[in-house]
Every structure is written in C-alpha cells, then in structure tokens.
Amino acid sequence: GAVVSQHPSRVICKSGTSVKIECRSLDFQATTMFWYRQFPKQSLMLMATSNEGSKATYEQGVEKDKFLINHASLTLSTLTVTSAHPEDSSFYICSATYHAGRHQPQHFGDGTRLSIL
Amino acid sequence: GENVEQHPSTLSVQEGDSAVIKCTYSDSASNYFPWYKQELGKRPQLIIDIRSNVGEKKDQRIAVTLNKTAKHFSLHITETQPEDSAVYFCAASMDNDMRFGAGTRLTVKP
C-alpha cells in the first residue's frame, strides 16, 4: 500500500519551456503532498507543501511564480516549472501522506529528472 | 525551524560488520523520526521510524534509538550486506513538517 506515482520520470527540453510534473497517490487519499528538489549527492530540499483545495505553502527562497503547485484533488498534485532555465535542472521528487497530523511517514514518488538545455 | 545534522557523510564497512549513523535535531517539539534508504536514481524508501514516546525500535537487522533529552537518534544496521549499500537519510518531523539530514552514503564491501 501507499504507492505514489510520479510522471514523467525524465524530461529534456529547451530553455524557456514550461514543464509539468504530476504526482499521484494510487491507493490512498493524500491529505498533504510535498515537493522536493534534490541536487546530486545532496539531501532533499523541501520546496513546498500542498494541501488539497488550498494554496501551497512555499519554503523561503522558493519562487511561487516560478514553481506553480496545484493540488486539485486528494490524489493529484502537479508542479509546473515555468519558463525553465538551465539552473532549474535538477531531480524533483514528490511525496504524500495519508493522514493529517502527527507521526506520519511520507511516501515518495520515483522522481523526475529535469534537464534544461 | 528544525535543523537536522547527520554523520558521517560517508561510511564504508566490510560485509557482516555493523554500521551506525547518527543524527541530531534542534527542535525539541519534533516527535517523529523516520529513516529513509535511497538507492541511486530511485525514490527514498522508509525503512524504520520511531516516535518520541519510544526509546528504541528494532526490525530484524535494523534498529533505531532515540534520546529525547540529548536530541539525537541513531540507526544501527547489523550483519551488513552489499545490498545495504545506499544513501540513508534521517528526518525529524512535527505535524507533517519534516526536515531531512544531509544523508550518509553507506558502502558495504563484499
């Protein structure tokens, strides 16, 4: 149980393109979803937290107009990297929890490797 | 906010030996401490977790200890195997606000 699916797994596109990444909880309703960015050989850096039906909460230093997050249902959150540039190249990974409140593990998607040429 | 420090950053052990990874956290309100294993290019996977009302938890070859007073917790892997080689992340969480350590790259030599 607690499977999170993330698509696409790999994106290569030109500078200036907008890229949408989907994160779906397949067998549970995700009250909260999280978006992380991971640089090579580094830790998971939280970008934003999204709750279904409300605006995402962004971490300090993360541009909300650059990284648009939509959490339209209890099973789907999307991250759109708008007008992507080479410095946006990274590994983006989502996670989800299925209960609000304490003591809940996060279940991760497989991640999306984004390469901007 | 919460700050999690993790040591060592790299760890190399011989197959069959034990491996210990240590983490400290700053926010005494944190009450949930999961450990994740991430293989190269793959998703982090939860391997064990501990809640703040427990001092130790064991699952086969993996154990975690928590010292709330000192605000540190540790992962212990016994009888290591080559397939244990991966990056391990600790995390500290309160009410869904989870912060990760920098990770430990464990290499188990056959």
Side-chain angles (χ1 to χ4, degrees):
Chain A
V3 178
V4 176
S5 174
Q6 185 174 342
H7 292 281
S9 58
R10 179 105 166 109
V11 179
I12 303 173
C13 58
K14 294 181 179 179
S15 185
T17 306
S18 290
V19 178
K20 180 185 279 189
I21 303 170
E22 290 189 351
C23 182
R24 293 181 184 271
S25 56
L26 298 186
D27 53 359
F28 65 99
Q29 292 186 327
T31 54
T32 307
M33 286 186 170
F34 306 85
W35 288 96
Y36 293 88
R37 185 172 179 175
Q38 188 176 31
F39 292 102
K41 297 185 179 181
Q42 293 192 26
S43 190
L44 298 154
M45 185 191 79
L46 180 64
M47 298 174 66
T49 302
S50 75
N51 294 290
E52 184 264 339
S54 62
K55 289 184 178 180
T57 302
Y58 289 82
E59 293 298 300
Q60 193 171 8
V62 178
E63 299 177 59
K64 62 180 180 180
D65 294 330
K66 175 75 172 178
F67 300 99
L68 300 178
I69 292 172
N70 184 282
H71 192 161
S73 76
L74 282 171
T75 60
L76 173 65
S77 177
T78 61
L79 167 68
T80 301
V81 184
T82 61
S83 187
H85 293 285
E87 59 265 29
D88 298 322
S89 299
S90 192
F91 188 62
Y92 293 87
I93 191 164
C94 70
S95 70
T97 59
Y98 53 85
H99 287 297
R102 297 180 163 191
H103 305 160
Q104 298 303 322
Q106 293 184 19
H107 303 279
F108 286 87
D110 280 327
T112 297
R113 188 159 302 282
L114 176 61
S115 299
I116 308 299
L117 305 177
Chain B
E2 176 65 273
N3 181 47
V4 179
E5 294 194 357
Q6 182 172 347
H7 299 281
S9 57
T10 60
L11 179 60
S12 181
V13 300
Q14 208 66 37
E15 182 177 1
D17 288 349
S18 295
V20 180
I21 302 170
K22 298 182 179 181
C23 289
T24 61
Y25 61 100
S26 60
D27 191 342
S28 57
S30 290
N31 51 27
Y32 175 64
F33 307 90
W35 285 87
Y36 288 86
K37 174 183 180 182
Q38 186 179 28
E39 297 179 23
L40 188 63
K42 296 188 176 181
R43 71 178 75 189
Q45 291 192 308
L46 179 71
I47 55 171
I48 195 168
D49 56 12
I50 191 167
R51 291 158 174 75
S52 58
N53 59 345
V54 176
E56 185 173 355
K57 183 177 179 180
K58 189 174 181 179
D59 183 4
Q60 299 183 337
R61 296 186 297 109
I62 296 173
V64 59
T65 59
L66 170 66
N67 183 326
K68 283 179 59 180
T69 303
K71 289 188 282 190
H72 66 69
F73 55 113
S74 302
L75 176 72
H76 303 252
I77 306 175
T78 58
E79 300 172 29
T80 54
Q81 301 166 3
E83 49 266 39
D84 294 329
S85 297
V87 178
Y88 291 80
F89 293 100
C90 64
S93 174
M94 183 192 67
D95 292 341
N96 265 342
D97 185 3
M98 186 175 292
R99 304 291 160 161
F100 290 83
T104 297
R105 184 172 300 278
L106 173 65
T107 303
V108 180
K109 299 178 181 177

